[in-house]
Amino acid sequence: MLKTERSEALGNEPISTLLIKQAVPASIGILVMSLNILVDTIFVGNWIGSIAIAAINVVLPVSFFIAALGMAIGIGGSSIISRALGANDKSKALKTFGNQITITLLLTISMVILGLVFINQLIPAFGGKGDIFEPAKIYYRIVLYGVPVLALCMMGNNVIRAEGKPKFAMIAMIIPSLGNLILDYLLINILDMGMEGAAWATTASYICCFFYVLWYFLSDNSELKIDVSHFGLDWPILKEMSALGFVTLARQAVVSLTYLLMNNILFELGGEASVTVYAIIGRMLMFALFPVLGVTQGFLPIAGYNYGAQNYDRVRQSIKLAIYYACGVAVLIFIAIMAFPEAIVSVFTQDEAVLRDTPWAMRWVFAAIPIIGIQLIGSAYYQAIGKATPALLLTLTRQGFFFIPLVLILPNYFGELGVWISFPIADTLSTVVTAYFLWRETRLKLD
């Protein structure tokens, strides 16, 4: 069966043009999603209070981890789909997509049930203590209902991108973001529903996204037309998808563990105000890095398709250009953060303690951002070509191997400063390690 013109473009168009076409819609989608999180935080902070910001930050690692199951399955399966389309194996692509849907539903629904059963244990464990507990519990319960839908959306978004349809993937990211902002205004500001309003706005926005993704795959825009036979689990595909998806899942698990540690360490060092400082910086990390993450998302299907087609020269070109673009925009982000941290923080809250402590902490956290593109592209490359083990190890270097040990050790000697300087140290060390392995790979395997 012939490949569509759009998927063939991944192997034919100039890399520079193709990377821009893939990365710009991905960046816009991530930008809107990040703006959603950012503005959501601003709304919550100004309409409910600074404690509400900390409460949402406590819930994020749990809901994000369950939703990350969908992202992991999406990225793991999409690597297979991209390479299958590159090798003109349509039947494998269809079977992979069907398996993605089945396993996403099975895993996320099971995790939601467990998450609700152990609600009173999980919230305090992730830093929901003192005045943070009750608003966190309200938000957690409602948002968790919509997490399986979010997981399906994240899985489907990566499959859309694997087909070479970045604009549709962009729209799938924009819909829940805009929906959440509109519903935030109605439910929090107009109807005065507080934390319940914030939570229902988030859940309803996931449902809107799901209906769009469902429409895409049922329409003529998608070349992946599955039937009932594709939903049956296929062990070889499931094994490969799980190995590759575990890279993303492990990364999100480490992120959730990082939130757990940071919320608890900062609560002990500075109380609710310090947890709020981290919540604001965390939102800025999601928002400010949107173009770097967009380049990474755009790079994945290009590298995977051309590796599947054994066009290694194009793979090398895509690596070089992706790193060049990612590091270039990261430098611009670095300059903006270093120049205007006070103005940025004042948008979120007028709490004096938060306004005082956040700018200097933010400067430390973003200190090594100019080189972060090397680490992201390097780990993404191994995932794109189906090499799960090096992808996993390189993905975990930044937060797992370096940041977590640093944040457990340095605060004992430097207090809260030790928390913030752990970020640039971990970024630098992980980038050096990734650069070495990527250099060796391009010299030995892609010549």
Side-chain angles (χ1 to χ4, degrees):
M1 186 179 292
L2 292 176
K3 301 184 285 291
T4 67
E5 181 181 354
R6 190 66 182 119
S7 63
E8 283 182 340
L10 294 170
N12 295 330
E13 288 191 11
I15 294 295
S16 57
T17 302
L18 192 59
L19 188 59
I20 292 172
K21 285 184 177 180
Q22 291 287 327
V24 169
S27 296
I28 293 172
I30 295 170
L31 169 62
V32 175
M33 183 178 68
S34 301
L35 274 173
N36 166 44
I37 296 171
L38 204 64
V39 177
D40 183 55
T41 305
I42 295 169
F43 285 173
V44 167
N46 286 279
W47 293 339
I48 303 177
S50 60
I51 291 295
I53 298 177
I56 293 176
N57 201 55
V58 166
V59 175
L60 281 179
V62 181
S63 59
F64 272 19
F65 178 74
I66 299 174
L69 288 169
M71 181 183 291
I73 294 165
I75 292 177
S78 295
S79 174
I80 302 173
I81 291 172
S82 289
R83 285 179 282 122
L85 291 173
N88 204 20
D89 189 351
K90 189 72 171 287
S91 63
K92 185 175 182 180
L94 291 171
K95 187 66 176 177
T96 300
F97 184 37
N99 273 231
Q100 286 178 292
I101 296 172
T102 301
I103 200 67
T104 298
L105 287 172
L106 289 174
L107 289 177
T108 55
I109 291 174
S110 299
M111 292 294 290
V112 166
I113 293 171
L114 290 173
L116 291 172
V117 168
F118 295 102
I119 184 171
N120 291 322
Q121 291 77 30
L122 286 170
I123 291 176
F126 279 84
K129 304 169 184 176
D131 294 338
I132 301 174
F133 178 78
E134 284 302 327
K137 185 175 180 179
I138 293 170
Y139 190 83
Y140 173 95
R141 188 188 299 276
I142 297 170
V143 167
L144 214 58
Y145 295 146
V147 166
V149 178
L150 173 62
L152 284 171
C153 294
M154 297 176 82
M155 180 275 294
N157 185 273
N158 282 283
V159 175
I160 294 171
R161 203 176 303 283
E163 287 192 83
K165 308 285 179 62
K167 292 182 180 178
F168 287 96
M170 174 189 71
I171 295 171
M173 298 176 75
I174 291 175
I175 287 175
S177 300
L178 292 179
N180 188 36
L181 295 180
I182 294 169
L183 289 170
D184 264 347
Y185 177 76
L186 291 175
L187 299 181
I188 301 175
N189 195 40
I190 301 299
L191 299 179
D192 196 26
M193 292 176 63
M195 288 301 295
E196 289 188 3
W200 279 118
T202 299
T203 297
S205 69
Y206 297 162
I207 296 172
C208 293
C209 178
F210 170 76
F211 281 114
Y212 172 79
V213 172
L214 180 63
W215 166 81
Y216 167 83
F217 286 112
L218 293 177
S219 72
D220 292 334
N221 296 299
S222 174
E223 57 190 287
L224 296 176
K225 301 302 178 186
I226 58 176
D227 55 42
V228 176
S229 65
H230 297 124
F231 290 108
L233 296 179
D234 182 284
W235 175 243
I237 289 177
L238 192 61
K239 184 178 178 181
E240 184 179 2
M241 182 167 59
S242 299
L244 294 170
F246 184 72
V247 176
T248 298
L249 187 60
R251 176 170 57 238
Q252 188 56 49
V254 172
V255 170
S256 295
L257 178 59
T258 300
Y259 270 94
L260 183 153
L261 291 172
M262 290 286 287
N263 286 335
N264 281 281
I265 290 171
L266 288 170
F267 186 85
E268 293 298 323
L269 290 172
E272 288 90 344
S274 291
V275 177
T276 303
V277 169
Y278 176 52
I280 292 173
I281 292 175
R283 300 304 186 280
M284 282 307 302
L285 277 170
M286 293 179 190
F287 170 71
L289 293 180
F290 80 88
V292 181
L293 297 175
V295 172
T296 305
Q297 288 290 316
F299 164 77
L300 279 166
I302 301 171
Y305 186 100
N306 285 284
Y307 193 88
Q310 298 184 358
N311 195 337
Y312 299 136
D313 182 60
R314 286 176 63 83
V315 176
R316 279 198 308 274
Q317 291 180 49
S318 67
I319 293 171
K320 292 177 180 178
L321 281 175
I323 290 176
Y324 175 77
Y325 290 160
C327 290
V329 295
V331 169
L332 299 178
I333 294 166
F334 172 81
I335 293 171
I337 294 294
M338 293 298 140
F340 307 108
E342 293 84 2
I344 292 169
V345 178
S346 65
V347 174
F348 291 92
T349 181
Q350 297 304 310
D351 186 299
E352 291 185 8
V354 177
L355 287 171
R356 180 188 67 243
D357 295 341
T358 308
W360 70 274
M362 189 180 294
R363 284 193 173 102
W364 277 114
V365 170
F366 279 83
I369 288 301
I371 61 173
I372 200 65
I374 298 171
Q375 204 278 329
L376 292 174
I377 298 298
S379 58
Y381 163 75
Y382 285 99
Q383 199 164 8
I385 67 172
K387 293 187 177 182
T389 300
L392 174 62
L393 293 176
L394 291 177
T395 295
L396 294 181
T397 54
R398 184 185 177 196
Q399 287 186 300
F401 297 154
F402 295 125
F403 180 78
I404 289 178
L406 286 167
V407 84
L408 288 172
I409 295 170
L410 294 184
N412 296 322
Y413 298 95
F414 303 103
E416 196 168 327
L417 174 63
V419 173
W420 307 125
I421 63 175
S422 297
F423 282 89
I425 296 173
D427 287 342
T428 302
L429 292 174
S430 62
T431 298
V432 170
V433 171
T434 303
Y436 168 74
F437 281 100
L438 191 59
W439 171 80
R440 192 177 69 170
E441 173 78 12
T442 55
R443 288 288 300 272
L444 299 179
K445 303 294 176 63
L446 295 180
D447 283 336

